[in-house]
Amino acid sequence: MPTSEQAQTLLSQYAREPSDALRAQIVEAFLPLAGHVARRFAGRPVDKILTIEASGIGIACVAATRFNNAPVVFARKSQSINLDGEQYVARVHSYTHGNDNTAIVAKRFLNKGEHVLIIDDFLANGSALQGLIKLVRDAGATLVGAGICVEKAFQPGGDLIRNMGVRVESLARVKSMSEEGGVVFCDD
């Protein structure tokens, strides 16, 4: 459950319309997640933070300030002329856009033995998170866990990822959302 009324309002807006609410009030929305993730993963080493473009980048950068300014690495969703050399690649399905993408990170940015924390804005079906987990594991790095802004608990992603043995910490878990009932948060 969000910790403040302002955060709850922003997260409710974001759960319904992710393209507007957090982008318009980026710092106010991301600070609660950064604090939440820092508390939940306190005492755990974090060498790098990994996210996926584009909406996860802002959240990851703010969260990095709570982990001694750990470098933020973001996976691209498609091949680019800026990506050179060897790469880690994972297939990711976007249910929102109804297409498949590839999550790509240059191998020089994820290294064996590093402790990597994944940060993302949404967890619904878990495909993006599964792809990021694959990249970390392919690199031989240690996955610290995943910090999520909004988890749609009524979809299977959270359970799927937790059943893989990954620690998932979500700022807000949405029990349900509808036009009539609005956004209902889980009590936990």
Side-chain angles (χ1 to χ4, degrees), residues 1-13 183 185:
M1 180 74 123
T3 57
S4 72
E5 188 173 322
Q6 180 185 19
Q8 185 170 349
T9 299
L10 286 171
L11 291 169
S12 292
Q13 291 170 347
V183 176
F185 292 100

Side-chain angles (χ1 to χ4, degrees), residues 21 94 104:
S94 171
I104 307 166

